Amino acid sequence: MSARPRIYIAGHRGMVGSALLRRLSEMDAGEIVTRTRQELDLTDQAAVKAFFATEKIDQVYLAAAKVGGIHANNTYPADFIYENLMIETNIVHAAHMSDVQSLLFLGSSCIYPKLAEQPMREDALLTGPLEPTNEPYAIAKITGIKLCESYARQYGRDYRSVMPTNLYGPGDNFHPENSHVAPALMRRFHEAAEAKDPQVTVWGSGTPMREFLHVDDMAAASIHVMDLDAKTYAENSDPMLSHINVGTGVDCTIRELAETMMAVTGYDGELVFDSTKPDGTPRKLMDVTKLEKLGWKASIPLKEGLDQTYQWFLSQSGQIKSV
Ligand code: GFB
């Protein structure tokens, strides 16, 4: 690797990619390379191959993905499986062909079986049926892990993967239907507080449990794992079970999240639960023992992270992503 590595962030305009860009720039970690979707279509195999052939990249953060909440996953399964598979296979293969030795793939906690033992250890992977609402997305993310492992096993590439729990933070998607639960509720409570609505509807029963990690913590964890020296990493990694969970180790019910969001936004009306909407998987708490053993722990508490995100949301007034 050259003295100043050329670091490509795939997906630098997304929530995770932009957090990685902020942090790597602050650290002055190297020459950061980015491309917008207009400049490089990551589902186009030839274009991705040409990009890697000319750019002399040393490290790749693979944070590009089609993502969304429970409704989007359930409504657009073809888009979720197709786009994610294309992005991953194109980037991993082209990186290998252009002799890129280091790559970090970002997956998701939905790779684990719907009824996995809690907290979910890395070895729960492929031990049972997946949650149906996001199975196509999960299959694509499992493929990403297996791509990294396969290029490591066959070609000696140092391709690693991290599996974040549910993320939130600046740069999130606040679409009323397609977003994840944290940004969806932040926007709904904010608008209800402004309009002085007496009630706010929360989907499902409110009993499912989720773990929430601030995206700045995720960026820090990703860089930590990417930068682990090869010996430490190899000593703690099984070649056929190499992914590493990233989470806080703490979860809460959707009802508790909604109540926290009321405090964050200053909404003091009534909560109503809409049982016609899906609950999804009952619980999704990461076992973060492996990552802690490797020297990293989350540091942003949920309330503090949501307060900070709400300030960001307010600062965007009308410009928030809503696609
Ligand atoms: O973030 P979310 O959509 O995704 O959260 P998952 C869904 C949970 O929050 C369900 C409840 O229990 C919903 O019933 N919920 C309540 C809401 N109100 C709302 C709302 O207004 N919007 C949304 N979206 N949910 C996703 C996967 O699963 O997690 C993805 O579909 C990905 O593949 C992501 O893995 C991290 O946690 O259920």
Side-chain angles (χ1 to χ4, degrees):
M1 200 187 289
S2 53
R4 206 166 151 68
R6 286 176 60 74
I7 305 172
Y8 171 49
I9 306 173
H12 74 288
R13 286 193 165 168
M15 176 171 65
V16 182
S18 54
L20 281 166
L21 180 59
R22 284 195 296 275
R23 194 168 178 97
L24 289 165
S25 305
E26 274 163 28
M27 292 166 62
D28 196 23
E31 301 297 331
I32 314 276
V33 180
T34 59
R35 290 290 184 277
T36 62
R37 191 175 298 207
Q38 288 68 38
E39 290 164 343
L40 176 61
D41 174 1
L42 294 172
T43 65
D44 179 341
Q45 187 180 29
V48 175
K49 200 173 156 202
F51 165 77
F52 276 97
T54 54
E55 284 300 321
K56 305 270 174 283
I57 301 296
D58 295 301
Q59 283 190 345
V60 178
Y61 285 92
L62 208 178
K66 177 164 183 67
V67 300
I70 192 166
H71 173 79
N73 268 271
N74 216 6
T75 311
Y76 313 108
D79 297 351
F80 276 79
I81 192 163
Y82 171 74
E83 287 184 35
N84 286 302
L85 284 175
M86 292 300 280
I87 291 169
E88 295 160 11
T89 49
N90 288 344
I91 292 183
V92 171
H93 186 68
H96 162 66
M97 294 300 282
S98 291
D99 212 17
V100 177
Q101 186 60 8
S102 299
L103 179 146
L104 187 78
F105 169 69
L106 281 85
S108 165
S109 60
C110 68
I111 58 163
Y112 293 116
K114 177 183 173 87
L115 300 177
E117 194 186 315
Q118 305 289 319
M120 304 181 296
R121 291 197 318 264
E122 284 84 356
D123 62 8
L125 185 65
L126 296 173
T127 59
L130 298 161
E131 155 62 30
T133 53
N134 58 34
E135 188 192 70
Y137 177 74
I139 294 279
K141 289 295 183 182
I142 294 169
T143 303
I145 299 173
K146 295 299 163 190
L147 277 165
C148 291
E149 287 174 1
S150 301
Y151 282 76
R153 286 169 56 215
Q154 185 175 340
Y155 297 114
R157 294 295 177 204
D158 194 351
Y159 291 179
R160 307 175 181 182
S161 40
V162 281
M163 298 300 120
T165 190
N166 289 34
L167 301 174
Y168 69 93
D172 212 339
N173 176 0
F174 290 84
H175 188 279
E177 277 90 38
N178 293 336
S179 64
H180 289 102
V181 61
L185 294 186
M186 182 173 286
R187 177 173 178 174
R188 203 170 300 147
F189 283 119
H190 167 75
E191 289 176 354
E194 293 228 304
K196 301 198 176 1
D197 289 337
Q199 288 186 335
V200 164
T201 303
V202 177
W203 297 356
S205 64
T207 58
M209 300 192 75
R210 294 290 185 274
E211 177 188 14
F212 298 97
L213 180 75
H214 191 282
V215 71
D216 288 345
D217 265 343
M218 184 59 207
S222 301
I223 296 166
H224 182 85
V225 171
M226 175 73 105
D227 290 349
L228 284 172
D229 67 85
K231 188 164 169 283
T232 310
Y233 178 75
E235 280 169 4
N236 288 280
S237 179
D238 176 336
M240 295 191 66
L241 195 76
S242 67
H243 59 288
I244 300 173
N245 289 344
V246 186
T248 60
V250 179
D251 60 355
C252 67
T253 63
I254 295 297
R255 175 187 282 277
E256 285 165 344
L257 174 74
E259 287 165 356
T260 307
M261 207 61 88
M262 290 173 75
V264 167
T265 57
Y267 178 73
D268 61 3
E270 190 195 346
L271 281 183
V272 182
F273 289 89
D274 177 359
S275 59
T276 65
K277 292 283 199 302
D279 268 345
T281 200
R283 195 175 181 199
K284 236 185 341 180
L285 178 64
M286 293 293 215
D287 183 316
V288 287
T289 312
K290 187 172 172 183
L291 185 59
E292 289 188 5
K293 205 171 148 217
L294 289 166
W296 191 88
K297 218 173 156 41
S299 68
I300 307 174
L302 181 59
K303 174 69 167 51
E304 190 185 302
L306 290 174
D307 282 336
Q308 182 258 4
T309 305
Y310 188 52
Q311 290 312 311
W312 179 87
F313 173 89
L314 293 175
S315 75
Q316 298 300 298
S317 60
Q319 306 170 47
I320 50 167
K321 252 196 286 176
S322 187
V323 287

